[in-house]
Amino acid sequence: MKLYVQTWGCQMNQLDSSRIVQLMKSADYEPTDRVDDADLIILNTCSVRDKAEQKVYSALGRWRTLKEEKGVILGVGGCVAQQEGEALLRRAPHLDLVFGTHNMHKLPQMVEEAREAARRSVETAFYRDPFYLEDPSGLPETEGAKAYVTIMQGCNKVCSFCIVPRVRGREVSRSSDNIVRDVEALVERGVKEVMLLGQNVNSYGRTVEGERSFPELLERINAIPGIRRIRFTTSHPHDLSPELVDAFVRLGNLCEHLHLPLQSGSDSVLARMRRGYRLDEYLERVHSLRKRRPEVAVTTDMIVGFPGETEAEFEETLAVVREIEYDDMFTFTYSPRPRTVAAKVYRDDVPDEVKGDRCRRLQELQKSIALRKNRSLIGTEQEILVEGPSRLGRDQLMGRTRTNRIVNFTPGEATVPAEMARVRVVDATPNSLVGEAVGAREVVQ
Ligand code: SAM
Ligand code: F3S
């Protein structure tokens, strides 16, 4: 039988989807890229922005005929499933199953009951024990040289705009022994780079008696023989500890990249967002990191058009972006999410045209900064991990620098996919570098 999975949203959802595939393989489902071939369709959803719930109903509507004509089993998982639960089954009579963010492990049984007994089911319980974050087969599957590893899930913060704590639950951390075991197994299968995932990785381990801290976890992973690159996301600025700054100095395999969402450059907006820090505190942390490790690329998330955001407040955001000179930025226009504090307390009063205009202005500014920074790298040599063919075609390959910049490059004779390569930067755009492979392939001992 065939399984088609559609994934929306963040890296954690992508990892969850690969687990869904793995889980269902054990129930004799093989993945397919063609929805028309599927016997089981799973939509793994994100509810962080926009009209996520509406999008789910539209997608389900498109698959209705497959249900009617072929009797395909339809399931919705992820954050919208967690948020809407039962309501999804009520509003979409052809939907068979709904599973929340802690309930993926129940999927094979839910599918079997739908198939054998036409039973429709909803599973959205939250658990405090992180058993559901462990890999279903005991060890993560992987292809290629990069892998995601979930270290924690959920968030104990209360940002007023954010639905994540509601749909992913409170912070739960996996045991560091299990994480290290997984990374060792991945390295054994050729993985050179791991991305550690969590909604707020800096508070890893805090809710578990006797567990290691995040910097201590990084230290253990750094010591695994064969690991070349460690990345992590996402960090909350409030919890960026001096020990973590230290880790960037001490740990040779920790990549020089920190994603540190600021959200707004205005203290009054930050207070309405309930972010828990002021701009000067954020700047102080970025400066202390850059003082000790100037090479670290800093990237961020920004929301424009938060309720009540004035032109002057928005200009404070532009000013801080000019000051920090981020290496990259994700820009979002505010959208009220159901039952969040901001949606309850504030009117969504910034007109859409103003939101769009601010978004464009911020992106333009960031583009000019990124172009300048990328151009300054022309002529340098960079170590990259070769990921595969470039989207540009023309026999080019693609890889990333340790600072997470994309490099499209002309391979040399010694260039091997999924290995490290050295590349000379010959040109730059705002989003990527252009390069040429140099020298012989590095031999990993
Ligand atoms: N720490 C979180 C994580 O990585 O899981 C960040 C939450 S979210 C997945 C990523 C970004 O989406 C946030 O940093 C924020 O900029 C944006 N975002 C979250 N809620 C939003 C909303 N209601 N409207 C617009 N943007 C939002
Ligand atoms: Fe959301 Fe704030 Fe946590 S953005 S994931 S509530 S740190």
Side-chain angles (χ1 to χ4, degrees):
M1 282 180 295
K2 294 265 193 278
L3 158 68
Y4 174 83
V5 183
Q6 191 168 104
T7 312
W8 299 345
C10 63
Q11 293 108 324
M12 198 173 270
N13 264 14
Q14 289 170 30
L15 181 60
D16 285 351
S17 286
S18 66
R19 288 224 178 138
I20 289 172
V21 169
Q22 205 182 321
L23 263 172
M24 294 316 296
K25 269 187 184 165
S26 61
D28 285 335
Y29 281 87
E30 280 304 314
T32 173
D33 294 335
R34 293 174 40 90
V35 68
D36 292 337
D37 292 345
D39 304 287
L40 168 64
I41 300 177
I42 299 289
L43 179 58
N44 189 11
T45 59
C46 168
S47 65
V48 163
R49 283 175 294 275
D50 299 331
K51 301 183 171 56
E53 312 78 42
Q54 249 2 84
K55 277 169 58 191
V56 172
Y57 292 115
S58 317
L60 290 175
R62 284 197 296 280
W63 294 326
R64 190 187 200 116
T65 45
L66 291 173
K67 175 82 191 172
E68 287 164 358
E69 287 167 10
K70 288 181 53 187
V72 29
I73 306 283
L74 273 175
V76 175
C79 295
V80 177
Q82 187 66 46
Q83 179 191 311
E84 299 291 302
E86 201 65 60
L88 280 172
L89 281 195
R90 276 201 304 275
R91 272 195 56 187
H94 59 298
L95 178 62
D96 296 287
L97 41 104
V98 176
F99 57 103
T101 53
H102 292 204
N103 290 276
M104 224 157 50
H105 60 286
K106 297 205 178 123
L107 193 56
Q109 196 193 337
M110 293 168 85
V111 170
E112 192 185 319
E113 288 175 3
R115 173 133 280 138
E116 302 297 320
R119 182 169 172 259
R120 304 175 78 210
S121 54
V122 182
E123 297 284 356
T124 52
F126 276 152
Y127 307 100
R128 298 307 306 254
D129 183 304
F131 72 91
Y132 61 91
L133 292 177
E134 297 305 318
D135 212 77
S137 67
L139 283 176
E141 266 193 18
T142 181
E143 286 168 30
K146 285 179 29 161
Y148 294 133
V149 177
T150 299
I151 62 165
M152 54 91 67
Q153 197 191 159
C155 184
N156 290 357
K157 300 266 188 262
V158 287
C159 304
S160 64
F161 53 81
C162 185
I163 200 164
V164 169
R166 248 194 73 211
V167 292
R168 290 270 176 190
R170 294 186 63 76
E171 282 171 11
V172 176
S173 295
R174 292 180 64 203
S175 101
S176 52
D177 288 343
N178 289 1
I179 297 168
V180 168
R181 179 206 62 202
D182 282 2
V183 178
E184 282 170 348
L186 288 166
V187 170
E188 200 127 294
R189 288 181 225 169
V191 166
K192 301 203 166 45
E193 174 176 317
V194 287
M195 167 75 102
L196 309 177
L197 298 179
Q199 272 75 40
N200 180 12
V201 290
N202 296 355
S203 59
Y204 168 81
R206 283 198 197 154
T207 54
V208 189
E209 183 81 33
E211 186 48 277
R212 288 176 162 80
S213 68
F214 183 54
E216 286 165 347
L217 175 69
L218 287 175
E219 184 151 1
R220 278 190 76 186
I221 297 175
N222 184 67
I224 295 173
I227 189 80
R228 298 295 303 270
R229 291 177 163 196
I230 307 166
R231 303 184 187 280
F232 58 83
T233 199
T234 297
S235 296
H236 189 281
H238 184 264
D239 300 330
L240 181 70
S241 62
E243 290 76 23
L244 186 57
V245 171
D246 239 34
F248 278 105
V249 181
R250 288 190 307 113
L251 307 181
N253 295 318
L254 183 59
C255 287
E256 293 83 3
H257 176 212
L258 177 67
H259 186 63
L260 199 63
L262 172 61
Q263 313 296 2
S264 167
S266 154
D267 276 340
S268 41
V269 175
L270 287 173
R272 293 203 291 284
M273 287 178 166
R274 305 196 182 180
R275 282 290 284 175
Y277 54 80
R278 289 188 318 271
L279 179 63
D280 59 353
E281 293 168 311
Y282 181 96
L283 289 174
E284 198 271 318
R285 291 197 168 129
V286 172
H287 291 321
S288 77
L289 172 68
R290 282 185 166 165
K291 211 159 117 196
R292 300 205 49 211
R293 200 82 167 88
E295 301 83 355
V296 176
V298 181
T299 59
T300 202
D301 293 345
M302 292 285 195
I303 299 178
V304 298
F306 189 77
E309 185 189 61
T310 61
E311 175 61 21
E313 285 170 333
F314 171 66
E315 280 171 17
E316 290 181 73
T317 298
L318 293 178
V320 75
V321 168
R322 277 189 207 101
E323 177 178 345
I324 293 186
E325 300 198 308
Y326 287 108
D327 292 85
D328 199 3
M329 178 190 297
F330 297 101
T331 321
F332 305 104
T333 53
Y334 170 74
S335 62
R337 305 310 301 131
R339 283 177 271 169
T340 53
V341 169
K344 285 188 206 154
V345 174
Y346 303 116
R347 212 159 47 82
D348 181 18
D349 58 357
V350 179
D352 282 349
E353 312 82 72
V354 177
K355 284 181 184 168
D357 182 57
R358 287 180 187 166
C359 196
R360 269 188 301 281
R361 286 159 67 196
L362 189 54
Q363 283 170 348
E364 280 304 311
L365 172 60
Q366 178 54 37
K367 215 166 129 181
S368 65
I369 293 169
L371 182 60
R372 183 154 29 87
K373 288 193 142 191
N374 283 352
R375 279 196 178 140
S376 75
L377 295 172
I378 294 176
T380 63
E381 263 186 35
Q382 302 284 330
E383 178 203 77
I384 62 164
L385 175 59
V386 184
E387 292 184 20
S390 156
R391 277 203 237 154
L392 303 180
R394 300 194 303 261
D395 298 328
Q396 299 260 303
L397 294 181
M398 185 283 250
R400 277 169 205 267
T401 64
R402 283 173 61 100
T403 53
N404 211 32
R405 283 187 169 84
I406 291 174
V407 188
N408 295 301
F409 69 102
T410 312
E413 263 174 33
T415 310
V416 178
E419 295 282 346
M420 299 292 173
R422 289 203 73 78
V423 164
R424 188 187 319 284
V425 180
V426 295
D427 204 354
T429 72
N431 301 321
S432 59
L433 302 172
V434 182
E436 286 165 1
V438 289
R441 175 159 70 100
E442 184 190 357
V443 179
V444 181
Q445 299 300 325

